[in-house]
Amino acid sequence: MNKPASVPDQFDAVVVGAGFSGLYMLYRLRQLGLSVRVFDSAGDVGGTWYWNRYPGARCDIATPDYTYSFDPELEKEWTWSEKYATQPEILDYLRFVADRHGLRPDIEFSTAVTSARWDEQEKRWTITTGRGEEIRCRYYIMATGCLSMPKSPDIEGVGRFAGQVYFTSRWPHEGVDFTGQRVAVIGTGSSGVQVIPLIARQASQLTVFQRTPNFSIPAHNGPAPADRLKQLDEDRDGYRHAARWSRLGVPNEPTDVLGVTASEAVRRERFEAAWEQGELVGIVSVFADQLLNPASNDIVAEMIREKIRSIVKDPETAEALCPKDHYFGTKRPCLDTGYFDTYNLPHVRLVDLRKQPIVSITEDGIETADESFGFDAIVYATGFDAMTGALVAADVTGRDGLSLKEKWAAGPSTYLGLMTAGFPNFFMLTGPGSPSVLSNMAVSIEQHVDWVAGCLEHMREEGLDTIEPTELAESGWNQHVQDCAAITLMPTANSWYMGANVPGKPRVFLPYIGGVDAYRQACDDVVGQGYLGFRMAGPGGARCQDGVIRSMQPDVAMVLDLIAALGLPPMETLSADDARALMAATAATRPPGPEVGEVTDGVIPGPAGDLPYRLYRPAGPPEGPRPLVVYFHGGGWVLGNLDSDDPLCRDLCARSGAVVVSVNYRHAPEVRFPAAALDAFAAVQWVDANAIELGGIPGQLAVAGWSAGANVATVACQLARDAGGPHISGQVLICPVADSDMTRLSYQENGDGYILTTALMRWFWDHYADPADRGDPRAAPLRGDLRGLPPTCIVAADFDPLRDEGVAYARALEAAGVPVRFDRARGHTHTSVTMVDVIISGAPVRAGIGEALRDFFPSAEPQGI
Ligand SMILES: Cc1cc2nc3c(=O)[nH]c(=O)nc-3n(C[C@H](O)[C@H](O)[C@H](O)COP(=O)(O)OP(=O)(O)OC[C@H]3O[C@@H](n4cnc5c(N)ncnc54)[C@H](O)[C@@H]3O)c2cc1C
């Protein structure tokens, strides 16, 4: 069959897919006056809701939310009958939308797009369809869906079964009657959980084959939630705005209740409320830290397991249904209607494939390691090759013959999940690296479509006809996507979010978990900064504002936002005493850091009186003496004490396996330069002389410090060298103050907004040292003789005014022949690396510090964290 002769073969844009995304994209492109052709291999509009017709198929985001918002009239004309509408109703809705806007004439159904090739000369895509058509277009837009490519079951003998075979994702349009049949269902993900109770109503025998139990909560389906309808009636625009700027695409007040610190009563109350509410958004937000902290996650997970045990009567079946191999929420949780109850029916049986794996599908049924089962029908609910499957399968070839499949062989790489370098004018809607499946997709889809439409409009206005991301922008975004995932528990699961359900698929976290709101802001910022990271060209000229849109670690950014919201006075506007009080008050609210074996306080005789110290001894074996680390706290020689850096010292102790002796020193302005440096040197001498009494190994001594503490630590090393001892095995300098001129680029780039500011640094210097003294190497160690200093580990943070001092000091030490390990704290600020158990992304940096300390001491063994 060929397309009608009247249809041209040149279009401004080709869109693949006529589901939620493709329909709205077509609508917007038409609004721009572009000629568009949409292809879908389906026989009608609907996408997901065209294909997934199995009994029980429903959405799991409440329908008042899972809906378009671009057309206010449409919103008034359509009323959802249930909280979670069935597949037929959602399909009817999408048909209604297509008809209301007369979209069908531009859509070619039952037509697969089989390949697409970029012509660099013509600046056009050539699209080939399964019908043999060739269409040329300037813009190629894949609206092919995240969950549209069914995963073929990786089970031996799949083709052998002589009975009826069904796939939930390709269900027969005429429906299936299982009455009186012996039915097998393989798979217990979202589709399995929905279909199983309904098949159980008809089948004479139902056997469910389960590889991984999944968390599921009751949907409590019924009429659309009255409170939500009321809010929509009263202020539809406000409601939709709140959804667009929410974390998950559904208006929801974020909680600050932490699972680990909440009382048992609060935990129970919050959980039961979410269970009763029956919404994914609620159950994944019982606690603010449930996706970050394993202990908090366990609380929710165990309460769900309790519920499963209370519903399922047979204890063995109940236990098999209890998920224990992944944290709650790290695989997509399910919403169900009577799922667990179904296992109480006498004709329903669960086969746990972990105990009894499938050996093969046979002609009559299924053979497991222990049993042979006979069936009339097998239903596969085995899921999808999610997020990348449909994109890669459509054989897209960009510039220089590079295919998407080749480019993504090690995992997808995109800028904003919208485009990928080397593939000009190629857009993906809800592509990998965008919130997509971690959000209410109706909201995410509209945002993506609007962004693409806005981009094409901008290009037309500017006389530009090609666009693609730069490598720098793309790799920066990929890094950000992975950074966001890395601070959560998500990468720990063998989930389809990680590509783990498809054999051979690279294990990369596919969606963006930073939130719908954060993502929208990033997309808006890209536009606001002149399409940052995009290369655009055309008759109107060529332009490229290259750069990375988000390079700060996500948890660092969150903490900065929280601190900004507190509206605290700038430290430099306070007196030293008030600043100290403020610092002590904030320190009192933070987590304590890891447990160590022993903590004792004492005093060191300093040059002008006693210096308090706190000693941390690691827990566990080996017994006996350990290497010693003398640590100096940060605080610009003015602030800080043994308490201020206590969590960091515990962390260093646990990670290094060394005894850490944290020493307080005299502070400015009461006692000015060079008192702090002289105290530090005296402390190092004393610890060395008393190594045995302190439980240390004589001769195995390192120094460490953060910020001004790193300054006095390295000055102590210089003084020790000049004095001929003590021998220091190494120095760890975390974000050190190495110079005093405050002129380096990092002061310009990071001098404001990242807690340590240029103004604060000036305040510190003014308190500590007279301008005439600031060139003294005991104040500015970079200016000293660096030869013969011990091996050094320097940590420099990207968003630190002191960054370039650290870099310069590392270079100068290297030039002086000192072995240097330089660790860049990527995406961190001056303070964030030290925020133990607050900034999760700081842990790898501190692990590096622990490693550096252990390298100074061959005998060191960490206690483990
Ligand atoms: C059972 C199920 C329930 C879901 N429930 C929810 C929910 O409650 N909330 C939510 O937010 N999301 C849900 N989702 C996700 C759902 O996929 C999205 O919400 C949304 O429907 C996606 O729309 P789309 O247009 O982007 O993609 P799809 O609806 O998947 O449409 C893509 C279309 O592209 C076509 N296509 C792909 N490749 C080609 C090709 N090469 N040639 C021609 N055509 C092609 C496909 O045939 C398909 O029709 C659910 C998914 C499933 C499977």
Side-chain angles (χ1 to χ4, degrees):
M1 207 191 339
N2 282 318
K3 70 176 170 32
S6 57
V7 175
D9 57 7
Q10 298 267 358
F11 292 91
D12 292 322
V14 160
V15 177
V16 189
F20 257 100
S21 309
L23 291 178
Y24 182 44
M25 191 75 248
L26 170 58
Y27 171 84
R28 292 287 273 130
L29 293 171
R30 272 194 192 167
Q31 270 188 333
L32 293 178
L34 299 181
S35 61
V36 191
R37 195 78 186 149
V38 179
F39 295 95
D40 200 312
S41 43
D44 196 0
V45 299
T48 291
W49 306 103
Y50 173 88
W51 294 110
N52 292 269
R53 293 164 185 254
Y54 59 85
R58 289 174 189 276
C59 55
D60 56 13
I61 295 284
T63 25
D65 296 296
Y66 186 57
T67 191
Y68 287 124
S69 70
F70 70 88
D71 176 356
E73 291 306 311
L74 166 73
E75 288 212 58
K76 282 185 207 144
E77 282 183 32
W78 185 267
T79 315
W80 293 103
S81 67
E82 287 180 280
K83 177 180 172 189
Y84 297 110
T86 57
Q87 170 270 329
E89 188 173 357
I90 305 173
L91 183 57
D92 278 351
Y93 168 73
L94 291 170
R95 285 179 174 147
F96 178 75
V97 174
D99 291 339
R100 184 181 151 77
H101 292 289
L103 299 176
R104 287 175 198 275
D106 289 333
I107 308 175
E108 206 168 315
F109 294 112
S110 306
T111 307
V113 167
T114 49
S115 73
R117 180 171 285 272
W118 173 249
D119 182 336
E120 181 70 13
Q121 226 62 50
E122 297 290 322
K123 309 271 185 254
R124 291 271 189 292
W125 284 93
T126 303
I127 313 295
T128 310
T129 72
R131 298 168 185 250
E133 300 159 281
E134 279 206 348
I135 298 101
R136 313 267 285 163
C137 62
R138 188 172 295 286
Y139 304 111
Y140 180 42
I141 303 169
M142 298 280 267
T144 44
C146 295
L147 300 171
S148 58
M149 173 61 68
K151 182 182 94 83
S152 40
D154 46 339
I155 305 171
E156 175 67 29
V158 164
R160 233 177 269 159
F161 183 59
Q164 296 299 314
V165 174
Y166 303 102
F167 291 85
T168 49
S169 53
R170 291 289 180 270
W171 203 257
H173 289 207
E174 61 281 9
V176 182
D177 184 0
F178 290 108
T179 306
Q181 294 191 14
R182 297 162 306 154
V183 182
V185 174
I186 301 181
T188 53
S190 293
S191 301
V193 162
Q194 287 185 334
V195 81
I196 284 164
L198 283 140
I199 295 181
R201 284 191 199 164
Q202 293 183 337
S204 62
Q205 257 181 48
L206 171 62
T207 311
V208 176
F209 292 85
Q210 171 191 274
R211 186 148 60 185
T212 314
N214 269 303
F215 289 100
S216 184
I217 68 159
H220 299 305
N221 201 14
D227 58 333
R228 207 139 332 157
L229 295 181
K230 185 163 173 276
Q231 286 177 47
L232 276 163
D233 269 353
E234 285 170 4
D235 180 11
R236 191 168 292 273
D237 289 350
Y239 187 88
R240 297 293 181 217
H241 179 85
R244 289 181 198 120
W245 289 99
S246 66
R247 203 167 72 77
L248 299 169
V250 177
N252 189 40
E253 199 54 47
T255 178
D256 55 6
V257 175
L258 301 179
V260 281
T261 51
S263 69
E264 184 51 37
V266 168
R267 289 173 181 170
R268 178 60 63 182
E269 188 191 320
R270 291 189 61 80
F271 172 77
E272 292 295 344
W275 182 269
E276 275 316 305
Q277 186 197 23
E279 293 200 25
L280 289 180
V281 173
I283 198 74
V284 300
S285 323
V286 176
F287 305 123
D289 56 345
Q290 75 186 56
L291 214 49
L292 308 173
N293 187 329
S296 173
N297 193 285
D298 280 345
I299 296 165
V300 181
E302 190 49 34
M303 287 186 185
I304 299 178
R305 287 191 286 262
E306 269 174 28
K307 294 280 188 190
I308 297 172
R309 291 181 189 117
S310 74
I311 299 169
V312 180
K313 297 205 172 85
D314 173 47
E316 202 182 323
T317 306
E319 227 34 56
L321 287 165
C322 283
K324 291 173 201 135
D325 72 339
H326 62 279
Y327 291 110
F328 173 65
T330 57
K331 289 186 168 200
R332 182 154 183 116
C334 309
L335 281 189
D336 70 87
T337 302
Y339 173 65
F340 292 114
D341 285 304
T342 302
Y343 292 95
N344 293 329
L345 298 171
H347 65 293
V348 176
R349 178 176 165 194
L350 179 74
V351 174
D352 182 352
L353 296 180
R354 299 211 168 145
K355 289 194 181 146
Q356 193 179 340
I358 292 179
V359 176
S360 173
I361 307 288
T362 63
E363 206 170 305
D364 306 327
I366 295 176
E367 199 177 303
T368 68
D370 303 341
E371 278 174 85
S372 284
F373 296 83
F375 294 115
D376 302 307
I378 298 180
V379 174
Y380 290 99
T382 40
F384 300 92
D385 181 351
M387 299 209 68
T388 55
L391 291 167
V392 165
D395 191 14
V396 187
T397 306
R399 194 185 298 106
D400 302 327
L402 180 69
S403 75
L404 198 59
K405 195 173 180 178
E406 286 160 350
K407 178 171 173 183
W408 288 6
S413 170
T414 73
Y415 186 32
L416 302 169
L418 278 162
M419 298 196 83
T420 185
F423 296 77
N425 293 2
F426 168 65
F427 296 90
M428 294 162 278
L429 302 181
T430 68
S434 74
S436 56
V437 291
L438 294 178
S439 67
N440 171 3
M441 289 202 67
V443 169
S444 290
I445 285 168
E446 282 194 336
Q447 186 258 342
H448 257 198
V449 170
D450 288 339
W451 193 95
V452 173
C455 171
L456 298 188
E457 193 174 11
H458 168 80
M459 289 171 67
R460 185 168 60 189
E461 281 164 6
E462 299 285 313
L464 304 167
D465 52 24
T466 58
I467 176 170
E468 75 177 289
T470 67
E471 301 282 352
L472 174 71
E474 183 169 312
S475 66
W477 183 255
N478 291 332
Q479 184 67 63
H480 178 59
V481 171
Q482 296 309 316
D483 285 347
C484 289
I487 60 169
T488 72
L489 301 169
M490 297 301 271
T492 61
N494 284 323
S495 63
W496 54 258
Y497 299 133
M498 291 291 295
N501 64 327
V502 178
K505 191 165 171 173
R507 287 199 59 143
V508 180
F509 192 71
L510 297 167
Y512 176 69
I513 199 172
V516 166
D517 47 354
Y519 175 78
R520 181 181 289 268
Q521 190 63 59
C523 291
D524 289 357
D525 288 352
V526 163
V527 175
Q529 293 175 42
Y531 282 88
L532 181 76
F534 283 107
R535 196 171 284 124
M536 296 161 132
R543 61 200 64 174
C544 176
Q545 179 72 28
D546 206 358
V548 172
I549 191 65
R550 293 285 182 267
S551 49
M552 182 171 281
Q553 291 288 349
D555 47 356
V556 175
M558 253 184 284
V559 168
L560 284 180
D561 285 348
L562 285 174
I563 292 173
L566 293 176
L568 299 173
M571 284 269 187
E572 67 274 14
T573 62
L574 304 178
S575 68
D577 279 341
D578 286 348
R580 286 170 191 153
L582 181 61
M583 195 164 164
T586 36
T589 62
R590 54 178 193 189
E595 286 285 329
V596 293
E598 190 188 352
V599 180
T600 49
D601 284 354
V603 287
I604 292 172
D610 284 346
L611 304 173
Y613 76 83
R614 183 167 297 162
L615 181 145
Y616 304 82
R617 185 180 307 283
E623 292 299 317
R626 304 268 195 154
L628 285 158
V629 176
V630 190
Y631 174 85
F632 300 101
H633 66 77
W637 310 280
V638 178
L639 314 172
N641 51 35
L642 299 183
D643 293 333
S644 64
D645 290 30
D646 184 75
L648 179 63
C649 287
R650 289 168 178 273
D651 194 82
L652 293 181
C653 169
R655 290 182 192 278
S656 68
V659 170
V660 173
V661 185
S662 171
V663 180
N664 208 352
Y665 44 89
R666 283 172 291 163
H667 288 161
E670 291 82 354
V671 192
R672 288 163 62 87
F673 171 84
L678 299 181
D679 285 358
F681 179 45
V684 172
Q685 288 175 306
W686 185 85
V687 172
D688 178 65
N690 293 276
I692 293 173
E693 293 77 4
L694 295 169
I697 304 171
Q700 290 202 16
L701 175 77
V703 298
W706 166 54
S707 189
N711 169 278
V712 299
T714 194
V715 170
C717 287
Q718 294 191 9
L719 296 176
R721 177 206 52 200
D722 296 345
H727 168 75
I728 298 173
S729 305
Q731 55 175 341
V732 167
L733 310 175
I734 306 168
C735 307
V737 183
D739 203 357
S740 52
D741 64 356
M742 305 208 298
T743 56
R744 290 184 170 77
L745 182 65
S746 52
Y747 266 98
Q748 290 161 40
E749 288 180 354
N750 308 320
D752 196 16
Y754 306 120
I755 300 181
L756 178 65
T757 60
T758 303
L760 182 56
M761 213 45 225
R762 193 166 295 124
W763 186 82
F764 284 143
W765 274 114
D766 289 346
H767 279 77
Y768 182 50
D770 292 340
D773 290 329
R774 293 182 197 172
D776 187 314
R778 292 173 303 168
L782 179 60
R783 303 190 190 189
D785 177 4
L786 306 184
R787 286 168 301 175
L789 290 180
T792 304
C793 167
I794 290 191
V795 177
D798 283 356
F799 293 93
D800 183 357
L802 299 178
R803 178 195 68 203
D804 293 347
E805 285 182 23
V807 172
Y809 199 46
R811 288 205 184 117
L813 283 163
E814 257 179 353
V818 175
V820 173
R821 169 187 168 131
F822 179 80
D823 284 4
R824 172 183 166 205
R826 190 175 50 73
H828 280 274
T829 62
H830 184 73
T831 47
S832 59
V833 172
T834 68
M835 293 184 176
V836 177
D837 292 340
V838 176
I839 304 278
I840 297 169
S841 63
V845 182
R846 293 192 308 276
I849 295 171
E851 187 183 272
L853 284 168
R854 293 198 305 278
D855 284 349
F856 296 151
F857 312 118
S859 65
E861 281 189 37
Q863 73 166 43
I865 279 191

